[in-house]
Amino acid sequence: TGAEVCTLTGHSGRVTSVAFSPDGTRVISGSKDSLVKIWSSETGAEVCTLTGHSGEVSSVAFSPDGTRVVSGSDDNLVKIWSSETGAEVCT
């Protein structure tokens, strides 16, 4: 129908990258505020905030099984996180 389902608010900077989880239940976003956020695509609620980048996050994606997320930033780092706990797995 083209109707808006929900609006995700919480970043303090421009959102630069978004992606759906493989099962469609979550959305990941990266922003100029150096944060990565995971959201419920059904309710719009913020599930968790991933902190650790010191520069603008320019790229985010879920792993094919949805258990991990990856982020790339202007701080020249790529980070892998658990999408379940928000814990950083490796840099």
Side-chain angles (χ1 to χ4, degrees):
T1 67
E4 181 180 311
V5 175
C6 62
T7 299
L8 311 176
T9 59
H11 282 292
S12 63
R14 179 176 52 91
V15 175
T16 56
S17 184
V18 295
F20 272 99
S21 62
D23 65 3
T25 61
R26 294 170 292 163
V27 172
I28 187 170
S29 59
S31 171
K32 193 170 184 167
D33 62 11
S34 76
L35 300 176
V36 176
K37 292 183 179 280
I38 299 176
W39 314 82
S40 165
S41 63
E42 296 165 353
T43 66
E46 185 179 316
V47 175
C48 64
T49 299
L50 313 179
T51 60
H53 282 295
S54 62
E56 175 180 336
V57 177
S58 54
S59 180
V60 294
F62 275 93
S63 63
D65 65 2
T67 62
R68 295 188 177 186
V69 296
V70 63
S71 57
S73 170
D74 286 352
D75 60 11
N76 300 321
L77 298 175
V78 174
K79 293 183 178 281
I80 299 174
W81 318 78
S82 165
S83 67
E84 304 301 320
T85 66
E88 187 176 324
V89 176
C90 65
T91 298

